[in-house]
Amino acid sequence: MEKKEQLYEGKAKKVFRTENPEELIVSYKDDATAFNGLKKGTIVGKGVINNKMSNLLMQKLEKAGIPTHFVKELSDRETVVKRVSIVPLEVIVRNIAAGSFSKRYGVEEGVVFASPTIEFSYKNDDLGDPLINDYHAIALKLATEEEIETIKKYSFAVNEQLKAFWKECGVTLVDFKLEFGRLSDGTIVLADEISPDTCRFWDAKTGEKLDKDRFRRDLGGVEEAYDEIMKRLSEHI
Ligand code: UDP
């Protein structure tokens, strides 16, 4: 499988066309951004970790019956994925209060929910990815009611699978962001990535943060945290 012209360059990944119109190649970078691109930096080795972690977890989810865009890992940083049109919603599932949830609702980080929550943001950098509800998403024609139901069902299923897996690794899955896409026949599949950039991972014993919050909040030990979470995954997958 060969890369053809670059279709797109995002904050953390580049996307290339291939000879197959239904498949693309994603290439993961070490570039890191936060706060809608206001904070920029590099996390050395992040691209390799995010590529591998995302692929291992997506394969695990496929086995559990959740369809994903994953096709084949090509190299340390490159993966073949199915071409999708991305549903412009960031889907956030939470098990524990943190980040924007804690800020918005005035809840201390670490408060454990009785059951998981889900929320959507409208993927639109100019608007700063505003929080949006199902009715708004349907009114804006971002997705149909049926697609939203499918997305919710898959998102909670992803949470159950990942929560159980990370528990075995001694890691608490606090929250995470998913993106979904439509294949050419309209089928909804999990797309984008699942990585320390898009999940909050806390060490189950010490509460130490093993994710991008170390970069966002200038906590130091960013590369070490990415290495540690990847090590935990490699030992348990
Ligand atoms: N998240 C993400 N991309 C975003 C916003 C959030 O991947 O643009 C992830 C983030 O890593 C966390 C979860 O979604 O695991 C919930 O993030 P939150 O809404 O608390 O926002 P934040 O505090 O990161 O701004």
Side-chain angles (χ1 to χ4, degrees):
M1 178 71 60
E2 271 193 25
K3 278 191 304 209
K4 295 197 149 193
E5 80 267 26
Q6 186 174 308
L7 278 181
Y8 169 82
E9 176 160 7
K11 292 170 191 144
K13 300 188 279 296
K14 294 179 184 176
V15 181
F16 298 87
R17 213 189 285 283
T18 68
E19 60 264 34
N20 181 342
E22 298 301 329
E23 291 180 351
L24 302 173
I25 292 173
V26 176
S27 178
Y28 286 76
K29 305 188 287 182
D30 285 353
D31 299 355
T33 63
F35 314 119
N36 199 15
L38 254 100
K39 184 181 171 86
K40 289 192 177 71
T42 302
I43 302 173
V44 178
K46 168 172 90 80
V48 175
I49 289 172
N50 288 11
N51 182 42
K52 293 189 171 168
M53 181 179 293
S54 205
N55 293 342
L56 290 168
L57 295 177
M58 291 237 183
Q59 288 173 84
K60 201 172 181 58
L61 294 171
E62 283 276 355
K63 282 193 194 128
I66 300 152
T68 79
H69 72 164
F70 176 79
V71 177
K72 185 176 186 277
E73 189 168 292
L74 285 184
S75 66
D76 269 3
R77 289 179 186 269
E78 292 181 344
T79 295
V80 183
V81 298
K82 292 176 191 161
R83 186 177 58 84
V84 297
S85 85
I86 289 284
V87 176
L89 293 172
E90 295 197 338
V91 182
I92 294 169
V93 178
R94 302 177 191 269
N95 297 304
I96 297 178
S100 71
F101 185 98
S102 290
K103 207 171 162 200
R104 185 180 313 119
Y105 302 120
V107 190
E108 215 180 307
E109 283 206 325
V111 172
V112 180
F113 303 147
S115 46
T117 68
I118 195 164
E119 76 213 36
F120 300 112
S121 290
Y122 175 21
K123 254 175 82 74
N124 184 318
D125 281 341
D126 295 339
L127 298 177
D129 299 341
L131 193 63
I132 183 176
N133 72 25
D134 304 26
Y135 295 94
H136 299 153
I138 294 164
L140 292 170
K141 295 195 162 43
L142 307 182
T144 66
E145 192 175 349
E146 195 195 354
E147 285 174 335
I148 288 178
E149 285 315 308
T150 304
I151 286 171
K152 283 187 189 166
K153 181 183 77 179
Y154 288 159
S155 298
F156 284 124
V158 168
N159 187 43
E160 292 311 310
Q161 291 296 322
L162 295 187
K163 214 169 37 175
F165 171 68
W166 284 112
K167 194 172 177 190
E168 292 170 26
C169 306
V171 172
T172 305
L173 178 62
V174 175
D175 58 27
F176 57 90
K177 186 264 299 178
L178 301 175
E179 294 186 25
F180 290 86
R182 301 177 189 95
L183 300 179
S184 50
D185 67 359
T187 308
I188 294 282
V189 300
L190 181 61
D192 195 48
E193 66 182 275
I194 307 174
S195 72
D197 278 12
T198 63
C199 303
R200 283 196 171 94
F201 298 124
W202 293 353
D203 182 278
K205 278 210 192 96
T206 65
E208 191 192 352
K209 296 186 196 324
L210 299 172
D211 58 58
K212 196 174 161 188
D213 270 349
R214 302 206 74 87
F215 168 79
R216 293 189 190 100
R217 304 180 185 187
D218 295 321
L219 299 176
V222 183
E223 277 89 0
E224 290 79 0
Y226 277 69
D227 288 344
E228 175 63 23
I229 194 79
M230 188 62 208
K231 182 170 155 257
R232 301 276 185 101
L233 174 133
S234 310
E235 287 168 355
H236 292 88
I237 199 92

